[in-house]
């Protein structure tokens, strides 16, 4: 019998706790503020940004959206980041990915000051995560770790298999799990015999972005299955990477889509904005 990991409920609890933190900051005259840059008109990105704005509202974080058209030059984008880096009232900066082709997202992420890099994509934060230092951890991997911990799922000594090697999810998640003493394997498009590897997983995470890429025969009995996929099916419904109906029968724990990893990502973004605000105001704890 599987247990559903309710990311929506857990994220609600985390946001309530963060609201208390935000209220304490306000008593000191400090108002946490997040700036989100959206370049172009990717429809999924617009939905994500709207959800981030809603979460800010719930937690008591001010929100500023900077909308740039798809013809924006790299110089202009970098100058906007510089401006936000220098503004005292802005604590967190997030450049929504993807950005139009022709713009260099890595250069842009690198330009965001590490102290305001609430996505954890600046190479300084990536490097700090790698050597196990306190840092801004990117929100999806961080949310996944929080989910596992909230369910008392042991990570230490477990075989964790991640499908997908993106800079946003796969690679930082590998590091987070390694930092918690898991034995981690990453599978990707060139991996041979994926099924043989995924069947060794005590914790299996799919971050590919393809419907039904994880089928029941790939899953060990009793595995914990985390689905990071956000795909639209032919009926326009949001679904994950995992063949949920069949895989749930083998899993001990499984995340739904929607209502699993997605809300946790946003809750961890709020966590990082509060952390950044404290850091910039020399508030410890
Ligand atoms: N696009 C999809 N997920 C993310 C994320 O976590 N951060 C940013 N900046 N863009 C994204």
């Amino acid at each position: 019998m599987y247990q559903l990991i309710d990311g929506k409920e857990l994220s609600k609890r985390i946001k309530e706790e963060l609201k208390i933190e935000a209220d304490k900051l306000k008593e000191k005259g400090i108002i946490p503020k997040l700036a989100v840059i959206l370049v172009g008109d990717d429809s999924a990105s617009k939905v994500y940004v709207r959800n981030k704005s809603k979460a800010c509202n719930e937690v008591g974080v001010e929100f500023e959206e900077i909308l740039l058209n798809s013809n924006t030059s790299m110089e202009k984008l970098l100058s906007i980041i510089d401006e936000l880096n220098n503004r005292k009232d802005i604590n967190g900066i997030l450049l929504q990915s993807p950005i139009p082709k022709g713009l260099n997202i890595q250069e842009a992420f690198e330009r965001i000051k590490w102290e305001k890099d609430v996505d954890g994509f600046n190479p300084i934060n990536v490097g700090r995560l790698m050597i196990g230092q306190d840092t801004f951890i990117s929100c999806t991997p961080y949310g996944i770790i929080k989910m596992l911990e909230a369910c008392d799922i042991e990570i230490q000594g477990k075989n964790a298999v991640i499908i997908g090697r993106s800079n946003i999810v796969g690679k930082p998640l590998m590091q987070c799990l390694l930092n918690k003493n898991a034995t981690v394997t990453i599978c990707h498009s060139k991996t041979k015999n994926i099924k043989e590897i995924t069947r060794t997983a005590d914790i299996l995470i799919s971050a590919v972005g393809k419907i039904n890429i994880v089928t029941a025969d790939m899953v060990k009995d009793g595995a914990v299955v985390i689905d990071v996929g956000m795909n639209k099916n032919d009926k326009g419904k949001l679904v994950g990477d995992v063949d949920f109906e069949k895989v749930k029968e083998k899993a001990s724990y499984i995340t739904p889509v929607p209502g699993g990893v997605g809300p946790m990502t946003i809750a961890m973004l709020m966590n990082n904005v509060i952390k950044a605000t404290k850091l910039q105001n020399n508030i410890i704890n």
Side-chain angles (χ1 to χ4, degrees):
M1 187 56 198
Y2 70 94
Q3 234 174 298
L4 201 64
I5 307 181
D6 188 343
K8 204 169 166 191
E9 182 55 37
L10 178 58
S11 70
K12 192 164 157 259
R13 286 212 307 269
I14 292 172
K15 283 185 285 184
E16 282 165 3
E17 284 165 15
L18 290 168
K19 180 163 189 339
I20 296 169
E21 296 292 308
D23 288 345
K24 278 194 216 153
L25 288 168
K26 278 177 202 158
E27 281 166 19
K28 293 186 167 76
I30 301 162
I31 301 168
K33 185 163 183 175
L34 171 67
V36 171
I37 308 168
L38 180 58
V39 193
D41 46 20
D42 182 80
S43 55
S45 289
K46 283 183 187 165
V47 175
Y48 296 148
V49 171
R50 201 181 319 133
N51 289 340
K52 287 168 187 174
S53 144
K54 262 196 235 163
C56 283
N57 197 29
E58 285 164 20
V59 172
V61 168
E62 282 195 11
F63 179 83
E64 185 169 321
E65 190 174 26
I66 295 110
L67 295 173
L68 301 175
N69 68 43
S70 44
N71 301 324
T72 303
S73 66
M74 197 61 205
E75 290 71 28
K76 175 79 183 160
L77 177 58
L78 294 178
S79 80
I80 284 168
I81 293 172
D82 286 343
E83 229 173 83
L84 295 169
N85 277 338
N86 292 327
R87 267 175 62 184
K88 291 269 183 301
D89 63 322
I90 299 286
N91 306 107
I93 304 169
L94 183 148
L95 170 63
Q96 186 65 31
S97 159
I99 61 176
K101 285 196 178 75
L103 296 178
N104 182 338
I105 199 156
Q106 220 43 56
E107 191 183 348
F109 284 149
E110 206 162 332
R111 192 69 159 241
I112 297 171
K113 257 193 195 170
W114 75 266
E115 300 96 322
K116 295 191 178 188
D117 171 34
V118 286
D119 254 330
F121 295 160
N122 180 303
I124 293 179
N125 286 321
V126 175
R128 289 173 68 103
L129 177 66
M130 183 155 227
I131 56 174
Q133 285 186 328
D134 183 32
T135 184
F136 292 99
I137 304 174
S138 55
C139 305
T140 300
Y142 198 9
I144 291 170
I145 298 293
K146 287 280 171 196
M147 279 176 138
L148 297 174
E149 289 179 345
C151 296
D152 282 326
I153 294 166
E154 201 170 0
I155 301 174
Q156 177 156 301
K158 299 293 177 190
N159 286 337
V161 176
I162 303 165
I163 315 176
R165 56 173 157 180
S166 68
N167 290 337
I168 290 184
V169 183
K171 287 187 222 165
L173 180 58
M174 168 193 75
Q175 200 58 60
C176 288
L177 290 164
L178 183 62
N179 290 355
K180 298 272 175 194
N181 299 320
T183 301
V184 191
T185 308
I186 292 209
C187 298
H188 49 77
S189 54
K190 303 287 185 286
T191 302
K192 297 201 170 80
N193 304 324
I194 280 200
K195 199 192 296 183
E196 270 172 34
I197 300 168
T198 59
R199 285 174 68 92
T200 68
D202 302 307
I203 302 170
L204 177 62
I205 303 114
S206 181
V208 178
K210 272 202 188 129
I211 297 175
N212 288 345
I213 193 110
V214 177
T215 48
D217 57 339
M218 295 167 70
V219 179
K220 178 165 96 171
D221 275 327
V224 175
V225 180
I226 307 288
D227 192 346
V228 186
M230 295 251 245
N231 313 298
K232 282 260 171 81
N233 72 8
D234 49 13
K235 296 190 184 82
K237 199 174 152 247
L238 183 66
V239 294
D241 289 352
V242 174
D243 182 0
F244 184 85
E245 288 307 319
K246 299 212 173 79
V247 169
K248 73 179 192 210
E249 301 305 334
K250 294 185 89 176
S252 56
Y253 288 87
I254 188 166
T255 60
V257 177
V261 175
M264 288 301 293
T265 297
I266 295 183
M268 298 332 287
L269 173 64
M270 295 302 109
N271 177 83
N272 285 353
V273 175
I274 300 290
K275 182 184 169 95
T277 307
K278 287 183 180 173
L279 177 77
Q280 288 154 38
N281 287 281
N282 298 315
I283 297 170
I284 299 155
N285 151 44

